[in-house]
């Protein structure tokens, strides 16, 4: 039996079986930005995934929205390897350039910028020093520049291994010479570092703060040296006598420890009398010393000097007159 062609079931064309795209990409125009190198229409960063969704862009602060999967974030190990490789290439270029030339300065600046994370890592060890981290990073950058200028890539040593002691040493020198307002001997400062480390180890081992004897036995030094090191470690900043105590609101050390010296008013008088006495003859100076410092009477002074009491009285009166005339304050 022949079926008419019009009544036969119509088979849809093969191309109609392809399901439509859920989120078709907008057509590109000539005004669109150029694609990054190595990408195509099928590998664009904003291309739709097979499930029809698109990767979400990171926020301005560098974080990603919930559920977003960053595609171009490299692990720290990869970034570190890239930095080491870049550093090695730059040192190879720097070796063939003339110092002081424009190209030499450019490559040297690129080396500094590429290794700034090394400086920040070293500066983070000194966060407990209560110093601005910007200052510590700047000092560490000076050490990085010195390391770059002295580094020889032909020795087969990795640059971070060579530069880290220089950066840390520059920061320590800054804290030792410029931050401390109370300078302590270098021996005590180095020993204080050992005392501090021994204190932490003993605290962890015993679960309590160690005694001075335990620290001295651990380091095999005397207890007096341990106490001197602890005192040197506390002498990091000078305490103002007038500054009030933080937290408890108590008055400063000047108000709590100071007192009014009753003999303070006589200091200027004694200095003035000393200046006036040197202007008298030697015998009159001796009479005044015996009378007012040795507390002798005029009779005792006359026996001491072999003169009459009346003569001693006249000499005292004449000495007083000379002292009063020479005293410019009363005049």
């Amino acid at each position: 039996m022949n079926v008419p062609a019009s009544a036969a079931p119509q088979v849809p064309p093969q191309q109609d079986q392809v399901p439509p795209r859920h989120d078709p990409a907008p057509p590109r125009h000539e005004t669109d930005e150029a694609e990054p190198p190595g990408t195509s229409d099928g590998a664009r960063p904003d291309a739709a995934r097979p499930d029809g969704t698109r990767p979400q862009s990171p926020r301005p602060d560098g974080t990603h929205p919930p559920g977003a999967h960053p595609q171009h974030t490299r692990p720290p190990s990869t970034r570190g390897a890239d930095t080491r490789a870049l550093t090695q290439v730059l040192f190879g270029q720097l070796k063939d350039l003339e110092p002081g030339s424009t190209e030499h300065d450019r490559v040297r600046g690129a080396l500094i910028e590429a290794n700034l994370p090394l400086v920040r890592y070293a500066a983070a060890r000194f966060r407990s020093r209560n110093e601005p981290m910007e200052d510590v990073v700047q000092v560490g950058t000076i050490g990085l520049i010195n390391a770059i200028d002295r580094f020889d890539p032909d020795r087969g040593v990795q640059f971070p291994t060579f530069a880290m002691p220089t950066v840390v040493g520059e920061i320590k020198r800054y804290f030792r010479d410029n931050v401390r307002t109370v300078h302590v001997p270098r021996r005590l400062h180095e020993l204080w570092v050992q005392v501090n480390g021994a204190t932490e180890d003993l605290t962890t081992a015993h679960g309590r703060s160690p005694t001075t004897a335990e620290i001295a036995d651990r380091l095999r030094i005397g207890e007096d040296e341990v106490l001197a090191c602890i005192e040197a470690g506390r002498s990091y900043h000078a305490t103002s006598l007038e500054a009030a105590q933080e937290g408890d609101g108590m008055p400063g050390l000047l108000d709590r420890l100071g007192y009014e010296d009753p003999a303070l008013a006589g200091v200027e008088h004694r200095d003035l009398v000393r200046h006036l006495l040197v202007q008298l003859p030697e015998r009159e100076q001796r009479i005044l010393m015996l009378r007012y410092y040795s507390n002798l009477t005029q009779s005792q002074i006359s026996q001491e000097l072999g003169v009459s009491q009346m003569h001693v009285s006249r000499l005292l009166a004449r000495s007083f007159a000379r002292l009063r005339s020479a005293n410019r304050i009363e005049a």
Side-chain angles (χ1 to χ4, degrees):
M1 177 177 181
N2 295 330
V3 180
S6 58
Q10 300 293 327
V11 178
Q14 185 67 24
Q15 60 270 16
D16 293 339
Q17 295 179 359
V18 179
R21 297 179 63 183
H22 297 283
D23 190 8
R28 298 183 60 199
H29 302 282
E30 294 181 357
T31 57
D32 292 344
E33 296 181 357
E35 297 178 356
T39 61
S40 61
D41 291 341
R44 290 172 52 85
D46 57 347
R49 297 193 181 102
D51 58 356
T53 60
R54 291 178 177 274
Q56 302 184 30
S57 302
R59 295 170 179 168
D61 57 356
T63 60
H64 294 270
H69 302 281
Q71 295 180 343
H72 301 283
T73 301
R74 294 176 298 174
S77 59
T78 305
R79 292 197 299 268
D82 294 345
T83 301
R84 288 192 294 270
L86 177 61
T87 300
Q88 186 175 1
V89 172
L90 291 175
F91 270 116
Q93 298 177 3
L94 190 69
K95 181 177 61 174
D96 300 331
L97 297 175
E98 182 68 22
S101 62
T102 304
E103 188 65 17
H104 183 276
D105 295 341
R106 185 188 67 81
V107 175
R108 184 168 175 262
L111 274 170
I112 296 172
E113 293 181 3
N115 290 275
L116 281 179
L118 179 69
V119 177
R120 297 190 185 96
Y121 173 78
R125 298 168 53 182
F126 300 89
R127 290 186 180 276
S128 60
R129 300 295 184 91
N130 297 325
E131 284 294 315
M133 287 306 298
E134 293 81 1
D135 296 346
V136 181
V137 170
Q138 288 183 6
V139 174
T141 306
I142 296 176
L144 173 65
I145 296 174
N146 295 334
I148 291 175
D149 294 338
R150 298 197 304 263
F151 181 67
D152 185 4
D154 296 334
R155 294 187 175 182
V157 180
Q158 291 290 335
F159 177 72
T161 306
F162 174 82
M164 181 60 75
T166 305
V167 174
V168 175
E170 193 70 28
I171 295 176
K172 288 183 177 180
R173 189 179 302 109
Y174 166 75
F175 278 101
R176 186 183 69 237
D177 299 338
N178 300 322
V179 176
R180 278 186 176 271
T181 55
V182 180
H183 291 273
V184 297
R186 183 183 181 89
R187 183 186 64 84
L188 283 180
H189 178 73
E190 294 177 350
L191 193 57
W192 172 74
V193 176
Q194 301 179 15
V195 169
N196 193 27
T199 302
E200 294 180 358
D201 294 342
L202 292 174
T203 301
T204 304
H206 301 302
R208 57 174 176 80
S209 298
T211 62
T212 305
E214 291 174 343
I215 299 175
D217 183 67
R218 176 69 175 268
L219 299 177
R220 298 181 180 179
I221 59 177
E223 295 186 20
D224 295 338
E225 291 183 280
V226 174
L227 295 175
C229 292
I230 295 176
E231 191 66 25
R234 295 172 180 172
S235 302
Y236 201 80
H237 292 288
T239 303
S240 174
L241 295 177
E242 299 180 355
Q245 298 295 315
E246 298 181 0
D248 51 10
M250 296 181 62
L253 293 175
L254 183 63
D255 298 329
R256 290 185 291 139
L257 302 180
Y259 62 94
E260 190 70 23
D261 191 350
L264 185 61
V267 172
E268 295 183 0
H269 296 164
R270 288 195 298 271
D271 184 69
L272 177 62
V273 169
R274 186 182 299 108
H275 173 70
L276 296 176
L277 282 177
V278 297
Q279 303 178 18
L280 297 176
E282 183 178 354
R283 186 173 67 169
E284 295 184 12
Q285 292 183 27
R286 185 181 179 188
I287 292 175
L288 288 175
M289 295 294 292
L290 294 174
R291 179 68 182 90
Y292 294 101
Y293 286 89
S294 300
N295 294 324
L296 298 181
T297 62
Q298 294 184 8
S299 300
Q300 293 173 336
I301 296 174
S302 62
Q303 296 177 4
E304 181 76 20
L305 299 179
V307 296
S308 63
Q309 179 181 351
M310 184 62 65
H311 188 58
V312 172
S313 179
R314 287 196 297 266
L315 289 176
L316 285 173
R318 186 171 62 183
S319 299
F320 293 150
R322 289 182 178 180
L323 292 176
R324 291 190 183 97
S325 62
N327 187 3
R328 292 173 296 178
I329 297 180
E330 292 188 359

